[in-house]
């Protein structure tokens, strides 16, 4: 009998998604491959699409895993040999040279962007801020430089206008993921020759990881479109963009520019000037926005408690910290 293909999966799932790690593990299991999973506590506790944690889903599917805080070669040697293939999927680790060398050009990474553009992290928040709809999913060799290894497989596509917040983009992309990963695994099983493509450095871009609690503070000096895009970028599955009202921190989601043309002055920015059932109308420097979901720090919706004439305001120290961290 032919020796089973052994693939070591490093990483985890995207928040509120069933992939990419779990999706890949199930494909490998179905194809009769040997699967070893290396993950971490943060990924294990993230909810999947139905709300169950990744840990619970792995148990339900009969998978065992290693929970590593640090990724060291000595640990890798205990679970993988020179014939094993490594596959990183949303891994939080930076792979060191000795680990990369151990896999001998058989360590790959799934990157949720159209490399060489959008290297780094928080891709969907950055693409929303930049109003980008041309996108892609990429598998590349892991190299010493972050997200810079040769491209092995890539699918380019365009997001529809119906995608507004990160969860919309993730749900749309998840429909393409399974087939993309199945094709890659099939190529590995059949030992098809890889056709690596060197990334074009002249067009690469890099955007860093974003922390919603640290970076997601609204600047009310921006215009309506800029504020709406910013709030969209930190919407589900993230916690929501932050500001303050009556000295209390709130998180803001489900924001839409008011279609009714309303003239305003920058001094009015942040003021609640109208309430319509659960909808909160807020003035901006150039127009106004409508909010459907404003949450307190306990994640409770507080639209009904907000008062006319009160102002959303973000102290400068929070904006400075957001830009400097």
């Amino acid at each position: 009998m032919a020796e089973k293909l052994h693939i070591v999966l490093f990483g985890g799932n995207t928040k509120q998604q069933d992939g990419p790690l779990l999706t890949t593990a199930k494909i490998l299991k179905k194809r009769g491959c040997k699967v070893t999973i290396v993950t971490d506590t943060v990924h294990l506790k993230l909810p999947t699409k139905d709300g169950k944690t990744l840990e619970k889903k792995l148990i339900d599917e009969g998978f065992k895993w290693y929970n590593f805080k640090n990724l060291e070669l000595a640990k890798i040697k205990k679970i993988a040999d020179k014939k094993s293939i490594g596959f990183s999927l949303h891994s939080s680790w930076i792979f060191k040279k000795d680990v990369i060398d151990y896999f001998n050009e058989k360590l790959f990474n799934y990157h949720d962007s159209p490399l060489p553009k959008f290297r780094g992290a928080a891709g969907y928040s950055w693409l929303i801020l930049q109003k980008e709809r041309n996108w892609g999913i990429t598998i590349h060799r892991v190299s010493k430089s972050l997200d810079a290894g040769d491209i092995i497989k890539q699918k380019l596509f365009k997001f529809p206008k119906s995608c507004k917040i990160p969860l919309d983009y993730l749900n749309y992309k998840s429909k393409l993921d399974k087939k993309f990963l199945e094709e890659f695994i099939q190529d590995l099983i059949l030992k098809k020759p890889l056709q690596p493509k060197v990334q074009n450095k002249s067009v690469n871009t890099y955007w860093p990881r974003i922390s919603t609690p640290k970076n997601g503070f609204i600047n009310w000096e921006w215009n309506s479109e800029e504020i709406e895009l910013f709030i969209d970028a930190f919407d589900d599955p993230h916690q929501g963009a932050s500001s303050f009202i009556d000295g209390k921190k709130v998180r803001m989601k489900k924001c839409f520019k008011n279609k009714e043309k309303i003239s305003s002055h920058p001094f009015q920015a942040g003021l609640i000037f109208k309430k319509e059932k659960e909808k909160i109308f807020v003035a901006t420097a150039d127009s106004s926005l409508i909010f459907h979901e404003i949450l307190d720090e306990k994640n409770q919706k507080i639209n009904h408690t907000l008062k006319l004439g009160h102002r959303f305001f973000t102290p400068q120290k929070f904006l400075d910290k957001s830009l400097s961290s």
Side-chain angles (χ1 to χ4, degrees), residues 7-9 13 18-38 54 57-58 61-64 87 89 181 185:
I7 298 187
V8 183
L9 303 180
N13 279 10
D18 289 336
L21 185 136
L22 183 60
T23 299
T24 305
K26 289 167 72 173
I27 293 169
L28 289 168
K29 184 179 179 181
K30 186 177 180 181
R31 297 296 181 91
C33 300
K34 180 182 176 183
V35 185
T36 300
I37 295 173
V38 179
L54 174 61
K57 281 291 189 71
L58 289 173
E61 295 290 339
F63 290 111
K64 295 181 180 180
F87 194 14
L89 303 111
L181 291 164
I185 291 165

Side-chain angles (χ1 to χ4, degrees), residues 280-317:
I280 305 297
F281 293 72
V282 180
T284 63
D286 67 330
S287 185
S288 63
L289 297 167
I290 302 172
F291 290 89
H292 292 253
E293 194 171 314
I294 299 172
L295 310 167
D296 63 17
E297 291 197 86
K298 295 181 180 178
N299 208 38
Q300 298 298 310
K301 190 174 178 180
I302 58 169
N303 293 42
H304 64 285
T305 69
L306 300 174
K307 298 177 181 178
L308 292 170
H310 287 221
R311 187 193 299 267
F312 292 104
F313 175 73
T314 307
Q316 190 63 42
K317 66 178 182 179

Side-chain angles (χ1 to χ4, degrees), residues 12-162:
N13 279 10
T14 307
K15 187 178 181 182
Q16 292 185 20
Q17 298 293 307
D18 289 336
L21 185 136
L22 183 60
T23 299
T24 305
K26 289 167 72 173
I27 293 169
L28 289 168
K29 184 179 179 181
K30 186 177 180 181
R31 297 296 181 91
C33 300
K34 180 182 176 183
V35 185
T36 300
I37 295 173
V38 179
T39 186
D40 59 84
T41 301
V42 172
H43 277 113
L44 287 169
K45 300 303 179 186
L46 283 182
T48 57
K49 204 158 191 176
D50 64 4
K52 292 181 181 178
T53 64
L54 174 61
E55 182 175 22
K56 182 67 169 64
K57 281 291 189 71
L58 289 173
I59 292 170
D60 290 347
E61 295 290 339
F63 290 111
K64 295 181 180 180
W65 64 89
Y66 295 90
N67 184 348
F68 287 171
K69 185 175 181 180
N70 300 309
L71 204 59
E72 300 163 354
L73 181 58
K75 294 178 180 178
I76 301 301
K77 285 183 174 180
K78 292 179 180 179
I79 61 173
D81 59 30
K82 289 288 188 176
K83 295 180 181 179
S84 302
I85 294 171
F87 194 14
S88 169
L89 303 111
H90 286 201
S91 168
S92 56
W93 300 289
I94 301 295
F95 291 89
K96 296 179 181 178
K97 184 178 183 302
D98 57 355
V99 175
I100 296 171
D101 290 344
Y102 182 74
F103 281 97
N104 191 26
E105 297 193 332
K106 293 184 295 180
L107 178 59
F108 306 101
N109 180 56
Y110 165 95
H111 191 75
D112 203 353
S113 87
L115 291 177
K117 294 182 179 179
F118 287 90
R119 292 178 181 173
Y124 291 100
S125 294
W126 292 117
L127 88 88
I128 289 170
L129 291 172
Q130 296 181 46
K131 298 190 286 186
E132 179 64 76
R133 293 206 175 267
N134 294 312
W135 204 243
I137 43 182
T138 308
I139 293 171
H140 66 93
R141 277 200 179 113
V142 175
S143 63
K144 288 182 289 183
S145 298
L146 189 65
D147 299 332
D150 293 351
I151 293 172
I152 302 301
K153 186 177 180 63
Q154 188 172 62
K155 180 175 179 60
L156 302 177
F157 56 91
K158 188 171 184 176
F159 284 115
K161 291 183 179 180
S162 58

Side-chain angles (χ1 to χ4, degrees), residues 313-325:
F313 175 73
T314 307
Q316 190 63 42
K317 66 178 182 179
F318 292 96
L319 298 176
D320 289 345
K321 188 174 181 181
S322 168
L323 294 174
S324 62
S325 60

Side-chain angles (χ1 to χ4, degrees), residues 112-114 118 121-135 159-171 207 210 212 222 224-238 241 254-255:
D112 203 353
S113 87
F118 287 90
Y124 291 100
S125 294
W126 292 117
L127 88 88
I128 289 170
L129 291 172
Q130 296 181 46
K131 298 190 286 186
E132 179 64 76
R133 293 206 175 267
N134 294 312
W135 204 243
F159 284 115
K161 291 183 179 180
S162 58
C163 292
K164 177 175 169 64
I165 64 175
L167 191 60
D168 297 333
Y169 290 88
L170 287 166
N171 286 339
W207 303 103
I210 301 172
T212 303
W222 294 333
S224 296
E225 182 183 28
E226 291 165 342
I227 294 174
E228 181 185 9
L229 288 170
F230 187 81
I231 292 169
D232 286 348
F234 290 92
D235 208 312
D236 294 333
H238 309 302
K254 309 300 177 288
C255 170

